[in-house]
Amino acid sequence: MARWRRSERPPSILRRAAQYVRMSTEHQEYSIANQSAAIALYGAAHNIGIVRSFVDAGKIGTTIKRRAGLLELLRIVESGNADFTDILVYDVSRWGRFLDSDESAYYEYLCKRAGISVHYCAEQFENDNSTTSNLLKALKRTMAGEYSRELSARVSAGQQRLVGMGFWQGGNAPFGMLRLLVDENRKRKALLKKGEWKSVSTDRIVLTPGPKKAIETIRPAFDLYTKQRKSRREITRILNSSNRLRRNVPWTVQMLRDLFTNPIYKGAYAYRRHDQTFGQCKRRPPEKWIVREHAFPAIISDEQWNQARARVLEETKPLVDSEMLESLRRLWKRKGTLNSTLINASPETPSTQAYRNHFGGLHEAYRLIGYPAVRWHRYIHIVRMTRQLRADVCDLICEKIKSMGGSAEKLPVPGLLLLNHSVTVKAFICNGSVPKNRNMVWTLLLNQVHHADVVIIARLKPPERDVLDYFVIPAVARLRGSFRTREVENDPFLEIYRFDNLEAFIGSFRQFSIAEVS
């Protein structure tokens, strides 16, 4: 065994660390290899051994979405099962160029809270929580986010300039178009296949119609829609039955809508139809598009494209509730009855899904026009309403407990909650019934084993279907069977479990700090 003299210092224990590296593109100065090399030198100088690596290659740093490496790192840190005590990152920007600098600080705080230190190896300061360190980190985080903003603005301005010149700005070509590579003088060089990109910086890409089979699908589709006045649903059946598919995918009504409203088929280039800033994609209104007319060879004439687009806009204009109900009332008068088949088959009436979106269900639309709904529709409406109310009760419980410092999560079983990592709660909704010539009665069904520590039953009071009160019944009560309850004067052994609200139950899950207890 080796012996050490008192004057000599024993070797320090090697600390275990995980490294996190990120590169947003393949053409960066700081490649994964370069970052790993710098981190390894830092680790050797500080007696730190790298035992795990988390990598995000080709991932943008402005958001944590799709950054599997960082998400996995944070998951392990928060689980308490990390086999390392330190995290090594090349610099502050590699941790992320978050537009909100507080987001970057929050993810570092999660590691610090778990007892794991974060080291920025290439920075000229130690991340030691000193005033200087915190000020420099805040400045670096803000600069990293601002760099992303400025870079995005510069790239967008350059792309808009090229759009104005009629050059295609990245992405796959639309159906019926091919990407054509040209030089700076617009001289044709080659057609690009899927996955192929330009290799010379001065080359540009334009679109040209093709292949022939796609063109022979697009033109008949426009003719069927504008000249023969076929509906989009009829056109989908015609195209699919004749095997005129869109890239081997059967046509749908929505796909035809996109086809008839895409200016590319009249030769116009509509740029920025969607706002994809920093990983978020939002549809932009047509008046905010950047349009370059006659940028590419046209497949459809301007006149025919305008006819198709006008008809699509007429068919998809925002629905007004009063007009929807009036069209439903006219269909009832004309047919003498109403059902889903008749509604969907009528060209003058919106679809049943539209009525569900606007009124919450067909039953409600029937009620508003005075149509006597069948028993089945009433049952479906009650079931949907009950499920929504149960979800609302669960959301209320989770929100209140979390606001008091406790934990609450929804389990896969509907209505089942796990509170403070230890107590399971099952929520039910109880609708009342009115026996002949008697008062309202609610039947509490406790004849099943719910495998929960506590059962909550919310009683509903018609006609508004508001919650009347709650029965909070613990499993230790061992109540089994069906219990008929009234609004007042219930059996005493049931009344002790009845509450006007859930404040007392929710308050029992409050988490107290040591300072509050002492």
Side-chain angles (χ1 to χ4, degrees):
M1 177 181 291
R3 296 180 178 272
W4 299 93
R5 299 176 183 177
R6 291 187 178 181
S7 59
E8 294 178 339
R9 187 176 180 180
S12 58
I13 300 175
L14 188 70
R15 301 208 305 271
R16 298 168 62 89
Q19 69 170 350
Y20 173 73
V21 291
R22 179 187 66 83
M23 183 177 66
S24 58
T25 69
E26 296 180 356
H27 308 288
Q28 285 194 350
E29 174 186 356
Y30 299 115
S31 65
I32 297 296
N34 289 343
Q35 293 179 55
S36 298
I39 290 173
L41 289 175
Y42 180 92
H46 292 79
N47 201 35
I48 300 175
I50 300 172
V51 297
R52 301 189 66 170
S53 295
F54 298 87
V55 181
D56 280 323
K59 301 298 181 182
I60 190 171
T62 57
T63 176
I64 199 170
K65 293 180 180 178
R66 294 184 293 276
R67 289 173 64 181
L70 182 56
L71 288 170
E72 178 65 12
L73 171 61
L74 295 176
R75 186 193 67 79
I76 293 175
V77 167
E78 290 193 287
S79 70
N81 298 322
D83 57 351
F84 48 85
T85 59
D86 299 86
I87 297 174
L88 304 184
V89 189
Y90 181 77
D91 62 14
V92 172
S93 70
R94 295 305 90 196
W95 188 250
R97 296 185 183 276
F98 299 101
L99 303 182
D100 186 348
S101 60
D102 290 341
E103 184 176 0
S104 179
Y106 171 72
Y107 297 137
E108 181 182 327
Y109 170 73
L110 293 179
C111 301
K112 186 187 299 183
R113 186 176 64 181
I116 298 177
S117 302
V118 179
H119 304 269
Y120 301 110
C121 304
E123 300 292 0
Q124 300 302 310
F125 60 87
E126 286 292 331
N127 191 13
D128 54 5
N129 202 34
S130 64
T131 301
T132 302
S133 170
N134 291 336
L135 285 173
L136 288 174
K137 278 194 301 182
L139 179 61
K140 291 273 188 177
R141 287 167 180 155
T142 303
M143 291 171 60
E146 191 60 28
Y147 171 83
S148 294
R149 289 189 183 91
E150 293 178 355
L151 180 62
S152 176
R154 289 197 298 268
V155 170
S156 179
Q159 289 178 334
Q160 291 180 37
R161 181 180 63 84
L162 292 175
V163 167
M165 299 170 64
F167 295 121
W168 180 251
Q169 294 305 297
N172 296 322
F175 175 71
M177 288 288 184
L178 299 174
R179 294 179 301 138
L180 176 63
L181 183 67
V182 298
D183 62 17
E184 65 271 21
N185 298 318
R186 290 183 179 268
K187 185 178 179 180
R188 180 188 180 108
K189 297 184 70 173
L191 285 174
L192 296 177
K193 299 178 181 179
K194 185 177 181 180
E196 293 182 344
W197 305 97
K198 68 174 187 176
S199 57
V200 181
S201 61
T202 56
D203 286 348
R204 298 288 180 246
I205 297 175
V206 297
L207 297 184
T208 185
K212 182 179 179 181
K213 185 177 180 179
I215 298 174
E216 292 175 350
T217 300
I218 294 172
R219 285 174 177 162
F222 271 87
D223 289 341
L224 289 169
Y225 195 59
T226 59
K227 296 179 181 179
Q228 300 184 32
R229 305 297 293 178
K230 298 285 187 181
S231 68
R232 282 180 287 154
R233 194 173 299 278
E234 290 176 312
I235 298 174
T236 59
R237 288 196 293 265
I238 294 173
L239 295 179
N240 293 335
S241 62
S242 59
N243 201 31
R244 295 180 179 180
L245 308 181
R246 176 176 174 174
R247 292 172 177 153
N248 297 321
V249 177
W251 287 94
T252 64
V253 172
Q254 181 60 46
M255 290 165 62
L256 283 178
R257 173 184 174 179
D258 295 338
L259 178 76
F260 295 144
T261 56
N262 193 338
I264 205 74
Y265 298 111
K266 67 170 183 173
Y269 186 7
Y271 182 65
R272 295 196 68 183
R273 297 174 63 191
H274 298 85
D275 192 348
Q276 297 180 329
T277 305
F278 304 121
Q280 296 182 350
C281 183
K282 297 180 180 179
R283 186 183 293 271
R284 294 165 60 91
E287 58 270 17
K288 292 188 177 181
W289 296 353
I290 300 173
V291 181
R292 166 68 154 81
E293 296 290 347
H294 309 295
F296 312 119
I299 298 177
I300 304 298
S301 68
D302 286 8
E303 181 182 0
Q304 188 175 20
W305 185 86
N306 290 331
Q307 291 175 356
R309 181 175 181 271
R311 184 178 174 190
V312 169
L313 294 178
E314 178 63 26
E315 292 174 348
T316 58
K317 66 180 182 180
L319 299 173
V320 180
D321 289 359
S322 59
E323 295 178 358
M324 293 177 66
L325 294 176
E326 183 58 32
S327 64
L328 191 63
R329 192 176 289 110
R330 288 196 300 267
L331 180 63
W332 175 23
K333 184 178 180 180
R334 188 168 64 251
K335 298 293 185 179
T337 186
L338 289 175
N339 56 53
S340 298
T341 303
L342 288 175
I343 294 172
N344 289 329
S346 174
E348 301 176 357
T349 307
S351 66
T352 54
Q353 186 60 49
Y355 284 103
R356 294 189 184 99
N357 294 339
H358 276 250
F359 302 103
L362 276 178
H363 172 80
E364 182 63 18
Y366 287 166
R367 186 186 67 81
L368 291 173
I369 66 172
Y371 181 76
V374 296
R375 183 181 181 87
W376 173 252
H377 281 294
R378 289 199 301 270
Y379 172 75
I380 293 295
H381 177 70
I382 292 175
V383 168
R384 288 175 177 165
M385 180 204 65
T386 300
R387 289 176 179 173
Q388 183 60 50
L389 286 173
R390 179 178 61 190
D392 292 343
V393 170
C394 292
D395 290 340
L396 173 66
I397 294 174
C398 292
E399 179 183 348
K400 292 289 187 181
I401 290 179
K402 289 179 180 178
S403 67
M404 296 187 300
S407 67
E409 62 176 303
K410 295 180 181 180
L411 299 179
V413 178
L416 189 61
L417 306 175
L418 178 62
L419 307 182
N420 283 357
H421 306 292
S422 58
V423 180
T424 55
V425 176
K426 179 72 173 178
F428 293 93
I429 301 296
C430 181
N431 290 285
S433 59
V434 182
K436 191 174 182 179
N437 299 326
R438 300 184 66 179
N439 296 326
M440 179 72 69
V441 172
W442 293 264
T443 302
L444 310 183
L445 298 177
L446 297 172
N447 52 357
Q448 300 179 5
V449 179
H450 300 299
H451 303 291
D453 299 315
V454 180
V455 171
I456 295 178
I457 302 177
R459 298 197 301 175
L460 301 186
K461 185 176 182 180
E464 295 83 5
R465 299 291 176 181
D466 294 330
V467 175
L468 173 66
D469 54 21
Y470 301 87
F471 278 83
V472 182
I473 305 173
V476 295
R478 297 185 178 277
L479 291 182
R480 294 290 184 271
S482 300
F483 300 91
R484 292 166 63 89
T485 61
R486 304 185 185 281
E487 187 168 352
V488 293
E489 299 180 356
N490 293 303
D491 291 334
F493 77 92
L494 283 176
E495 195 66 22
I496 61 174
Y497 300 114
R498 190 185 70 80
F499 298 87
D500 292 333
N501 52 60
L502 294 175
E503 291 182 3
F505 171 76
I506 293 173
S508 65
F509 291 91
R510 180 184 179 188
Q511 296 287 297
F512 292 91
S513 64
I514 296 177
E516 289 177 308
V517 174
S518 59

